[in-house]
Structure formats: structure tokens, C-alpha cells
């Protein structure tokens, strides 16, 4: 049935899920009448009616102990868990084999006695499939090199069945709100959720700015919920940082705790989430604090060895170096005669990631390296063999549409890289105990291009995306469909 809808990640399956939840919520108010009707059948002797335990199980299925939001999330989990359930899969396979057997019997009865049935060749046919078949795509070749793709998107139809993890970024959320009307339903969900929160806290005063910020939080959570329904692994989510001291340790911890709390209210457990936090000194300290609360982090804006090693030494879950941002910085500031911006061999973002892979393997660090911010197919294939790549849907489609093979370049360069790193870059054995030593190490890493100055630029870009999301969300909130609810929720409480 799911294949008829278009697959698990299709809009058809998403519509089926929403309609199922709506039907469940519509029938819950009539639960007692339904239970009373079924109770009349207990004495019928039918095998499905087994006394009071039947009634008890039926009542449990209405989830009457939950409020409407909790019931909706509960039914969404039922739909999600039913997909590829072992019992369902075995039963479907039984039905398929049974139907195939029936069709075979009918075909034999109808076939003429002297009819010659075609036979499959075991030689020429199979050989022609091998020699004339299409060459494998770059995407399949990447997967064959043991590289898994983590998709960077907020638009769930972009997902594929083999994608197990997703990165939700502010930019992908902005793109989804601008380009996909399907995602604008998350604005309605966000407003109604904020209305529920405010109804439960009548003594709290809400300004318009705080209301818009909270709605942006809820939009991100709504997108997170949609994505978490469709992947088995983790979903990384950005922080909608407040303007006052946005990158302080206290603010990062508070915002991450709030997002984790909102996600749990919507049925997404902490173990399914990674908080995307900038890998500044304050960000790493915040991630250490969050780990104590079982909230793991995806450390972004990693542009130096000192940042990467500090994250790994503290056992943080993931680091995400921005490949293209590093290259663009070198293009602007690297005046070395040996630097060729057109040469793939000189790509500083690729070189940095390969160096980190070598150091992490040498030191047995468990932190995953998940490079992101790819702009070309060539950048992605240059890192074939790394465990994870964070790719946009555009790059993934180009990889899938391009025939060719990739070579596991990381294995080929590992010996040379390790020798270079051990002799000339002892940073990987250093422990950073103070903010001063941490920032000093970043500044000394590549003084020719002053890579330390790239980090503030990336932080400012993040704040710009926060503000852009607020500007995009506000007119959507003020549409005629939402105006009354928003007026009641925000302006009346000013």
C-alpha cells in the first residue's frame, strides 16, 4: 500500500499519515459509545471477543489518558512503527506468494497444451545485462566506498529510503518556507502550539518579538517532527538564538534545553536529536554541559585543527567542517604562489578534512567527522571513503544523475598525511584548558590566511539567518488565516 502512495517519503504517505491522525482525533470523543457497543458482543462466542481483556485493550487504543496533541503524536508513532513491522512484512510476503501462486495456476489452466513457454537464458542474457547495462552512478559508487549520506534539508519529500540521518539547518528551513507551500503548514502548527502554551501560562507576559521568536522555535520543531517520522537515525536541529549575548555558554545551553523540551513534548526523544552548536570555546563548553543531560551536539563551523581536537577530546558526537566556506576564505586571503584555487589538489577544505580523518584515526577519537557545505560534485567525490557526508538534495541529485566511479582517496593519502601531521603539526596531542590557549592555537594554525577570522564571519552569517527566518515567518503568520489567533496570542498580552 505504501508503494502505491509513492513510497515512505512521498507526499501521498504524508497525506495518509495526516488523515489517519485526524480520523483518530475525530473518533476519540466517541470512545465510550464505541466501547459500550463492542461490549454487547462479549457473549457472542466469536473468537475475537475474549472478555474484559478485549475491552481493556480497546480502551487503551484510544489513548484517553493523553491530551489531543499527545494523542496525535501517539498515532503518528503507531503509523511510523507499523511501517516495515516484522509481522506486517511477513504477512504481506505471504499474501504476495499466495497471489502469485494463484495467478500461476490460472495461467497454466488457460495456456494451450502445445504452447511453448519462453525460457530464460543462463548465458547470453546474463552476460548482456553485465556488458550492456548502465554504468553505476557516482552516488552508488560513493555508497560502495562505505560513505553514507546525511541529507541537509527541511523538506521531507527530499528524503530517500536509504537516508538514515538528516541535518535541519536555518537555511534549509528558510528555503522550505519560501519554496514549498507544503511546509507552511508548520506555521499553523507553531501558532496553535504557542497558543496552547500561553493558555497554560496566563500570568506570563509575551511581547510581539518574544512571540515571533517562540513561533520560529515551534516551526523548527514542527519540521523536526516531520523529518524524524521518516528517518531511523538522528536529526540535527539548529538553535534559534536570542539577540542578547547569543553565543554565550549559558544562552546556548538554555536554548538547547528549550528545543529538546519542545521536541519531547512532540514525541521526539533526546536520543533522536543532535543540537547544532558553533564550535567556539563557549559552544564546546555548552556541549559538555548538555552531554551531562544526555543531549548530544553536532559542532558546526569547525575550520581549524584546534576546534576539531577540542571537540574530540571532550567526546562530542559530531563535527561538521564547512568545506566551501574554508575554500572561499582561502581564495580571498591566500596569496601563496603555490595555491591554485582551480586545482582540486589544492582545495583547503578537502585537505583539512583529510587531515582530521588521519588524526582522529591515529588517536582513536570516536567523534564523527561529517563535512558539509559542498557546492560541487567534485568536492563530494574527493572525500569518498569517509564515513559520512552532509549533502544538499541538489548535490545528491547530481551525484545520482552522473555516471562514473569514485576512488577511496582517503585510503590512498592516509600514509602520507599521517607522516606530515606527526612531524609538523603536533596540535592533535595538545589539551586546551583555557579559552586563551584555545584561541591562540586557532590563530597560530594558518597565519598566512588568518583562519581564526573566518569563525566570526560564520557566526555573523548564522545570526543573519536567524533574522531572515523571523522576517520570512512574520508575514506568513499575519495572513488572514492566522490573524485572529496571532492577535489573541501576542498583541492582547503586550
Amino acid at each position: 500500500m505504501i508503494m502505491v502512495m509513492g513510497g515512505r517519503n512521498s507526499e501521498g504517505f504524508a497525506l495518509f499519515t495526516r488523515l489517519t491522525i485526524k480520523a483518530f482525533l475525530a473518533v476519540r470523543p466517541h470512545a465510550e459509545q464505541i466501547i459500550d457497543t463492542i461490549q454487547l458482543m462479549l457473549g457472542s462466542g466469536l473468537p475475537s471477543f475474549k472478555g474484559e481483556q478485549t475491552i481493556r485493550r480497546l480502551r487503551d487504543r484510544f489513548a484517553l489518558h493523553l491530551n489531543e496533541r499527545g494523542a496525535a503524536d501517539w498515532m503518528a508513532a503507531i503509523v511510523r512503527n507499523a511501517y516495515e513491522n516484522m509481522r506486517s512484512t511477513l504477512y504481506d510476503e505471504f499474501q504476495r506468494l499466495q497471489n502469485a501462486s494463484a495467478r500461476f495456476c490460472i495461467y497454466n489452466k488457460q495456456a494451450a497444451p502445445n504452447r511453448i513457454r519462453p525460457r530464460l537464458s543462463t548465458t547470453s542474457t546474463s552476460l548482456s545485462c553485465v556488458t550492456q547495462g548502465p554504468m553505476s552512478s557516482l552516488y552508488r559508487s560513493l555508497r560502495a566506498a562505505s560513505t553514507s549520506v546525511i541529507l541537509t534539508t527541511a523538506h521531507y519529500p527530499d528524503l530517500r529510503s536509504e537516508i538514515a540521518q538528516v541535518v535541519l539547518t536555518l537555511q534549509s528551513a528558510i528555503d522550505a518556507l519560501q519554496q514549498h507551500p507544503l511546509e507552511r503548514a508548520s506555521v499553523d502548527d507553531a501558532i496553535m502550539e504557542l497558543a496552547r502554551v500561553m493558555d497554560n501560562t496566563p500570568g506570563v507576559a509575551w511581547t510581539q518579538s518574544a512571540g515571533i521568536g517562540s513561533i520560529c522555535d515551534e516551526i523548527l520543531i514542527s519540521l523536526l517532527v516531520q523529518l524524524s517520522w521518516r528517518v531511523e537515525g538522528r536529526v540535527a536541529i539548529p538553535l534559534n538564538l536570542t539577540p542578547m549575548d547569543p553565543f554565550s555558554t549559558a544562552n546556548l545551553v538554555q536554548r538547547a534545553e528549550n528545543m529538546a523540551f519542545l521536541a519531547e513534548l512532540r514525541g521526539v526523544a533526546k536520543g533522536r536529536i543532535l543540537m547544532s552548536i558553533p564550535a567556539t570555546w563557549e559552544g564546546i563548553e555548552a556541549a559538555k554541559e548538555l552531554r551531562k543531560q544526555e543531549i548530544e551536539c553536532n559542532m558546526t563551523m569547525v575550520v581549524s585543527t584546534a576546534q576539531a581536537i577540542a571537540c574530540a577530546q571532550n567526546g562530542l558526537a559530531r563535527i561538521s567542517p564547512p568545506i566551501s566556506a574554508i575554500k572561499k576564505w582561502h581564495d580571498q586571503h591566500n596569496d601563496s604562489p603555490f595555491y591554485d584555487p582551480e586545482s582540486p589538489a589544492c582545495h583547503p577544505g578537502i585537505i583539512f578534512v583529510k587531515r582530521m580523518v588521519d588524526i582522529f584515526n591515529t588517536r582513536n577519537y570516536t567523534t564523527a567527522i561529517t563535512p558539509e557545505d559542498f557546492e560541487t560534485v567534485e568536492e563530494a567525490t574527493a572525500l569518498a571513503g569517509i564515513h559520512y557526508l552532509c549533502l544538499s538534495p541538489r548535490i545528491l541529485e547530481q551525484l545520482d544523475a552522473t555516471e562514473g566511479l569514485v576512488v577511496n582517496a582517503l585510503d590512498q593519502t592516509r600514509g602520507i598525511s599521517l607522516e606530515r601531521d606527526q612531524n609538523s603539526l603536533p596540535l592533535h596531542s595538545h589539551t586546551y584548558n583555557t579559552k586563551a590557549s584555545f584561541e591562540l592555537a586557532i590563530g597560530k594554525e594558518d597565519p598566512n590566511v588568518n583562519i581564526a577570522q573566518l569563525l566570526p564571519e560564520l557566526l555573523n552569517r548564522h545570526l543573519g539567518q536567524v533574522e531572515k527566518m523571523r522576517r520570512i515567518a512574520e508575514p506568513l503568520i499575519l495572513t488572514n488565516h492566522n490573524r485572529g489567533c496571532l492577535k489573541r496570542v501576542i498583541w492582547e498580552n503586550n
Side-chain angles (χ1 to χ4, degrees):
M1 185 177 72
I2 293 177
M3 296 307 296
V4 174
M5 296 178 195
R8 183 182 182 184
N9 300 318
S10 66
E11 293 190 22
F13 182 67
L15 177 62
F16 166 78
T17 302
R18 290 198 298 271
L19 292 178
T20 301
I21 293 172
K22 288 182 178 180
F24 178 62
L25 296 179
V27 79
R28 284 178 79 237
H30 309 288
E32 294 302 330
Q33 293 94 315
I34 295 173
I35 292 171
D36 289 343
T37 302
I38 298 300
Q39 205 156 15
L40 297 174
M41 300 291 293
L42 292 182
S44 65
L46 295 174
S48 297
F49 300 94
K50 300 177 180 179
E52 287 302 321
Q53 62 176 339
T54 299
I55 300 301
R56 185 169 60 255
R57 290 173 181 170
L58 177 61
R59 188 182 299 277
D60 290 342
R61 291 180 181 181
F62 284 107
L64 298 177
H65 62 289
L66 299 174
N67 59 22
E68 189 169 87
R69 169 64 67 180
D73 292 336
W74 183 82
M75 179 50 65
I78 294 294
V79 175
R80 182 172 65 249
N81 293 335
Y83 177 72
E84 292 184 350
N85 179 275
M86 179 61 71
R87 288 179 297 176
S88 301
T89 303
L90 290 175
Y91 181 74
D92 289 344
E93 182 65 13
F94 170 76
Q95 291 281 25
R96 186 187 68 80
L97 294 174
Q98 188 178 47
N99 292 338
S101 176
R103 287 195 298 269
F104 180 75
C105 293
I106 293 173
Y107 173 79
N108 281 343
K109 288 180 181 179
Q110 293 177 348
N114 59 350
R115 181 174 179 177
I116 299 176
R117 297 194 182 108
R119 296 190 306 170
L120 294 176
S121 171
T122 59
T123 55
S124 59
T125 302
S126 59
L127 288 175
S128 65
C129 290
V130 174
T131 57
Q132 299 178 9
M135 183 184 292
S136 176
S137 69
L138 289 176
Y139 174 50
R140 291 188 178 184
S141 188
L142 265 180
R143 294 180 64 195
S146 301
T147 296
S148 299
V149 170
I150 301 175
L151 200 62
T152 302
T153 186
H155 187 50
Y156 63 81
D158 291 333
L159 298 175
R160 304 184 181 196
S161 59
E162 70 273 11
I163 300 293
Q165 299 186 70
V166 184
V167 173
L168 171 62
T169 64
L170 286 174
Q171 188 58 54
S172 64
I174 290 169
D175 293 341
L177 292 174
Q178 287 181 320
Q179 301 171 13
H180 304 294
L182 186 66
E183 307 300 351
R184 295 191 180 182
S186 62
V187 179
D188 298 336
D189 291 343
I191 292 172
M192 298 309 297
E193 186 65 23
L194 181 60
R196 184 187 66 80
V197 171
M198 297 189 71
D199 287 343
N200 292 333
T201 55
V204 178
W206 290 75
T207 64
Q208 178 179 345
S209 176
I212 296 295
S214 296
I215 289 174
C216 287
D217 285 346
E218 292 289 353
I219 290 173
L220 291 173
I221 293 299
S222 182
L223 295 172
L224 165 70
V225 171
Q226 290 285 339
L227 294 170
S228 68
W229 287 351
R230 293 166 172 83
V231 295
E232 299 297 330
R234 288 171 165 175
V235 180
I237 183 171
L239 299 183
N240 175 32
L241 297 172
T242 56
M244 296 296 295
D245 200 12
F247 299 111
S248 68
T249 298
N251 190 46
L252 290 170
V253 170
Q254 188 271 328
R255 298 303 298 161
E257 289 174 341
N258 180 64
M259 295 298 276
F261 174 73
L262 293 175
E264 286 192 310
L265 287 179
R266 302 286 291 272
V268 183
K270 291 179 182 178
R272 298 289 314 283
I273 306 171
L274 287 171
M275 296 295 170
S276 294
I277 292 180
T280 60
W281 173 264
E282 291 80 6
I284 295 172
E285 290 296 305
K288 289 163 58 178
E289 181 63 31
L290 291 168
R291 281 201 78 197
K292 299 175 183 178
Q293 305 176 42
E294 300 181 346
I295 301 174
E296 297 290 350
C297 295
N298 170 42
M299 307 308 293
T300 62
M301 308 182 197
V302 178
V303 297
S304 70
T305 305
Q307 292 173 279
I309 301 307
C311 293
Q313 288 176 340
N314 286 288
L316 305 185
R318 259 176 22 194
I319 63 169
S320 296
I323 299 300
S324 294
I326 295 174
K327 182 182 186 305
K328 289 176 181 176
W329 184 263
H330 276 259
D331 290 348
Q332 295 172 5
H333 299 87
N334 195 332
D335 57 359
S336 169
F338 302 103
Y339 177 65
D340 181 5
E342 303 301 324
S343 171
C346 290
H347 194 302
I350 302 299
I351 293 172
F352 173 69
V353 170
K354 288 180 177 180
R355 190 168 63 214
M356 292 308 100
V357 170
D358 290 338
I359 293 175
F360 278 36
N361 287 340
T362 303
R363 302 293 297 177
N364 294 321
Y365 290 138
T366 58
T367 298
I369 303 175
T370 59
E372 61 181 7
D373 189 31
F374 292 88
E375 290 194 349
T376 67
V377 167
E378 290 74 20
E379 289 176 338
T381 55
L383 289 174
I386 196 170
H387 290 314
Y388 301 103
L389 290 177
C390 294
L391 301 179
S392 67
R394 177 181 64 85
I395 295 296
L396 182 58
E397 289 173 3
Q398 291 178 6
L399 286 168
D400 209 10
T402 305
E403 295 182 352
L405 297 174
V406 299
V407 179
N408 191 334
L410 294 182
D411 284 347
Q412 291 179 345
T413 61
R414 183 163 294 157
I416 300 173
S417 301
L418 280 175
E419 182 178 356
R420 180 190 64 227
D421 289 331
Q422 289 172 343
N423 293 335
S424 62
L425 193 62
L427 286 171
H428 64 283
S429 62
H430 191 76
T431 301
Y432 305 102
N433 297 319
T434 65
K435 180 178 180 180
S437 64
F438 174 76
E439 294 180 344
L440 181 63
I442 298 176
K444 285 184 174 181
E445 178 160 335
D446 201 342
N448 291 330
V449 295
N450 197 8
I451 198 70
Q453 293 302 312
L454 174 56
L455 187 54
E457 184 175 298
L458 296 175
L459 293 173
N460 289 331
R461 185 185 305 176
H462 180 88
L463 292 179
Q465 290 173 345
V466 171
E467 185 58 32
K468 186 175 181 180
M469 184 173 178
R470 290 172 65 94
R471 291 198 305 268
I472 291 174
E474 189 166 357
L476 296 176
I477 293 166
L478 294 174
T479 58
N480 291 331
H481 180 68
N482 294 321
R483 188 184 303 275
C485 178
L486 184 67
K487 184 177 180 180
R488 176 178 63 83
V489 171
I490 296 179
W491 275 275
E492 287 186 0
N493 288 319
N494 276 349

